[in-house]
Amino acid sequence: YLQGREVIANSIKQFQSDINESLKLEINYAMTNTTNALMIQSLFLTLSFTLVIIVLLIFYKFFMIPIKNYTISLKNNHSNNEKHDLNPEGSMELRLLADKFNILYDELITANNAKSEFLATMSHEIRTPMNAIVWITQIAKKYDTDPEKIDNYLSKIDISSKVLLNIINDVLDMS
């Protein structure tokens, strides 16, 4: 019995030793695979962060910096009353925007100058006959009682009124 028991106990010990060795090998294999998977995930994470940073840098360079420069340029030129020429930079869309802005701004300045010239001319053209009407009317009221002079004054008032009316009609027709 003792001999059989020892054979069985030795067999069980050998079996446990073999199982433990097998388990150690499996654990080492699993740890190696886990470490490899962790390294691959870390590599993909690092690569993802790098790509995100590159995309953000490209966005910043081609969109944010040009828009910031446009804003600063417009702000500085507006306060200095200088010409607003934007340097086309950044993405193609922003360069097109800057080019179009420069063209439209030049057209705006031209239109504003034409408006100012028109108003100055119209102011002069309207005031001249109006001043003649007022001045001649005052002279006729205060100083002259001669019917011939009054008739002359009235004809000048009539001519000036018609000129003024024609100017006003032309302005209204043009608008």
Side-chain angles (χ1 to χ4, degrees):
Y1 167 81
L2 287 179
Q3 214 179 8
R5 187 175 140 186
E6 193 175 307
V7 169
I8 292 175
N10 284 340
S11 296
I12 291 175
K13 282 183 184 177
Q14 183 62 39
F15 176 75
Q16 284 179 339
S17 175
D18 289 344
I19 292 291
N20 285 340
E21 192 62 36
S22 176
L23 287 176
K24 283 181 185 177
L25 288 174
E26 284 186 35
I27 288 173
N28 284 338
Y29 179 74
M31 285 179 60
T32 303
N33 286 342
T34 303
T35 304
N36 289 341
L38 184 61
M39 286 184 359
I40 290 172
Q41 286 177 348
S42 298
L43 180 68
F44 280 133
L45 182 65
T46 304
L47 183 62
S48 298
F49 278 132
T50 304
L51 289 175
V52 167
I53 289 172
I54 289 171
V55 167
L56 289 175
L57 287 174
I58 290 171
F59 179 78
Y60 187 75
K61 179 181 179 187
F62 287 104
F63 291 98
M64 297 306 294
I65 290 175
I67 290 172
K68 180 180 174 187
N69 291 342
Y70 292 164
T71 305
I72 289 170
S73 174
L74 290 174
K75 190 175 186 180
N76 290 342
N77 289 340
H78 178 68
S79 61
N80 298 335
N81 290 329
E82 295 176 8
K83 191 170 171 72
H84 287 70
D85 272 340
L86 293 179
N87 270 342
E89 60 179 303
S91 69
M92 184 172 63
E93 292 84 4
L94 287 175
R95 283 183 273 150
L96 287 172
L97 174 74
D99 288 338
K100 191 67 171 174
F101 174 84
N102 290 336
I103 291 168
L104 290 176
Y105 185 77
D106 290 341
E107 290 174 1
L108 176 71
I109 294 298
T110 302
N112 190 37
N113 290 340
K115 178 201 67 155
S116 296
E117 185 178 327
F118 172 77
L119 288 176
T121 302
M122 290 315 303
S123 173
H124 172 73
E125 293 296 324
I126 291 173
R127 285 182 182 172
T128 301
M130 194 64 175
N131 284 334
I133 292 169
V134 171
W135 179 70
I136 293 171
T137 304
Q138 287 176 355
I139 289 176
K141 280 183 179 178
K142 289 185 180 179
Y143 300 111
D144 282 323
T145 54
D146 182 15
E148 200 174 292
K149 286 185 176 181
I150 290 177
D151 191 42
N152 183 22
Y153 291 149
L154 289 175
S155 69
K156 288 181 181 179
I157 290 172
D158 184 47
I159 291 169
S160 295
S161 318
K162 288 178 182 174
V163 168
L164 182 60
L165 183 62
N166 283 336
I167 290 171
I168 291 170
N169 284 336
D170 288 345
V171 169
L172 292 176
D173 288 344
M174 194 182 332
S175 70

